[in-house]
Amino acid sequence: QVQLVESGGGSVQAGGSLRLSCAASGDTYSGHCMGWFRQAPGKEREGVARIDTGSGRTYYADSAKGRFTISQDNAKKTLYLQMNSLKPEDTAMYYCARGGLSRVGCLLYGTRPSEYNAWGQGTQVTVSS
């Protein structure tokens, strides 16, 4: 069992930056696929970025690549999402999640919310033009 708590959301103007954090507690052993998802009103939850906590390999949605960076601090048991050059279309509730996927599984199936077993409560990101 793992508990995830996001923080760092807020309101920012287009072009600005935010750094989201996801603190984990409980069973936090390595080897899982951890991801950041977002969901805007009326839209499906979509994967933004994910990381294989065992290997450190990262993956990004096309919309995030070049602007967002996912990272982890194993000592602090915290997952981060650095978001730069934010756009109004980035406005959404952002969630961190952990699933049992790793290596090839994280690559092939890590974009699917159904593959993740633990979720945080979400943190709101609002980008104004």
Side-chain angles (χ1 to χ4, degrees):
Q1 184 178 2
V2 64
Q3 297 79 47
L4 306 174
V5 180
E6 302 99 331
S7 62
S11 298
V12 65
Q13 292 187 351
S17 299
L18 285 173
R19 188 193 192 199
L20 306 184
S21 299
C22 175
S25 61
D27 296 333
T28 58
Y29 55 90
S30 63
H32 293 86
C33 186
M34 296 197 69
W36 285 97
F37 291 78
R38 67 187 182 189
Q39 187 167 24
K43 295 185 178 295
E44 293 185 341
R45 187 167 299 187
E46 63 174 343
V48 177
R50 61 195 188 274
I51 184 170
D52 182 324
T53 61
S55 67
R57 292 176 178 174
T58 58
Y59 310 91
Y60 298 91
D62 288 341
S63 61
K65 199 166 188 176
R67 300 188 299 124
F68 294 2
T69 303
I70 187 171
S71 62
Q72 61 179 340
D73 186 330
N74 289 330
K76 296 181 179 180
K77 298 181 179 180
T78 302
L79 181 72
Y80 301 99
L81 183 67
Q82 178 67 46
M83 305 187 294
N84 299 325
S85 302
L86 284 164
K87 306 174 181 179
E89 50 262 45
D90 294 318
T91 296
M93 184 73 77
Y94 283 71
Y95 302 88
C96 68
R98 188 179 79 165
L101 297 168
S102 64
R103 299 177 67 179
V104 174
C106 196
L107 168 66
L108 297 179
Y109 309 112
T111 59
R112 303 176 181 177
S114 62
E115 298 293 341
Y116 294 80
N117 307 117
W119 294 82
Q121 82 290 346
T123 184
Q124 179 67 40
V125 171
T126 302
V127 184
S128 60
S129 61

